[in-house]
Amino acid sequence: MPSPLRLRPPRPDDEAACRAAHDALAAEGFEFLLVFDPDEPWARHVARVEAHRRGADLPDGFVASTFLLAEVDGQVVGRTSIRHELNEFLLTVGGHIGYAVLPEHRRRGHATEILRQSLVLTRALGIDRALVTCDEGNVASAAVIERCGGVLESVVDNPRGGPRRRRYWID
């Protein structure tokens, strides 16, 4: 049976759901929306997400990336960010794929499905070996990564501070 979870780009009508998701994860110290300015018009943010997918108008230290919302039955439950290449920071602690599930939608298999679908997309980009990382103490995320074939390579210090990071490679 196919999963009801779908990954898709953000749309103009996603503003309220995305702002609420961003606030919910900010309370946990995590960003839902990347390079987000709350004072900026939503349409400009959506346009920037598309530009970053094309590798245009990237801030310093950023690489081309695909940002997608995870939706189940019309409701945003999470997101993924797929980096098209790795710079030094991403190779050390960020990885090719960063994903999140909103607190009220956890423990339903959404994280595993988001990562599984993200891996399909990385392969479509020509990335045959994906790096996925998580905080050292994030047991749930480590289990998701391992369930999707992740093999732990190392645990490293985060050069920006914060928790150490578990680094997994998925072929």
Side-chain angles (χ1 to χ4, degrees):
M1 173 179 215
S3 170
L5 187 139
R6 296 288 177 258
L7 298 179
R8 63 164 179 83
R11 300 182 301 236
D13 62 335
D14 290 320
E15 180 175 10
C18 286
R19 285 181 182 270
H22 190 76
D23 291 345
L25 288 183
E28 297 180 348
F30 195 84
E31 289 185 329
F32 183 82
L33 298 169
L34 308 174
V35 295
F36 176 63
D37 176 355
D39 297 324
E40 173 181 65
W42 180 251
R44 186 175 295 157
H45 178 77
V46 171
R48 183 174 40 254
V49 166
E50 173 55 24
H52 288 186
R53 185 192 61 76
R54 295 188 322 268
D57 302 323
L58 296 170
D60 287 343
F62 278 66
V63 300
S65 62
T66 301
F67 179 90
L68 301 168
L69 299 177
E71 179 182 84
V72 174
D73 298 326
Q75 185 173 21
V76 173
V77 300
R79 62 96 166 146
T80 188
S81 177
I82 302 165
R83 291 75 165 212
H84 301 185
E85 62 183 307
L86 298 177
N87 59 22
E88 185 177 337
F89 175 76
L90 294 173
L91 181 60
T92 304
V93 297
H96 284 102
I97 301 169
Y99 60 90
V101 175
L102 296 172
E104 65 270 24
H105 298 287
R106 292 180 183 153
R107 303 188 61 78
R108 299 179 195 177
H110 296 322
T112 301
E113 186 61 19
I114 291 170
L115 181 54
R116 188 194 69 72
Q117 290 186 30
S118 296
L119 288 164
V120 171
L121 295 171
T122 60
R123 284 190 279 287
L125 291 168
I127 300 165
D128 294 325
R129 189 169 188 243
L131 176 64
V132 184
T133 71
C134 67
D135 287 351
E136 184 177 32
N138 190 338
V139 177
S141 192
V144 164
I145 296 166
E146 290 169 4
R147 202 168 17 259
C148 288
V151 176
L152 181 65
E153 178 187 76
S154 60
V155 179
V156 299
D157 290 329
N158 186 334
R160 296 184 183 170
R164 291 170 46 90
R165 303 287 287 179
R166 297 174 64 89
R167 299 175 70 251
Y168 291 88
W169 288 97
I170 303 174
D171 291 318

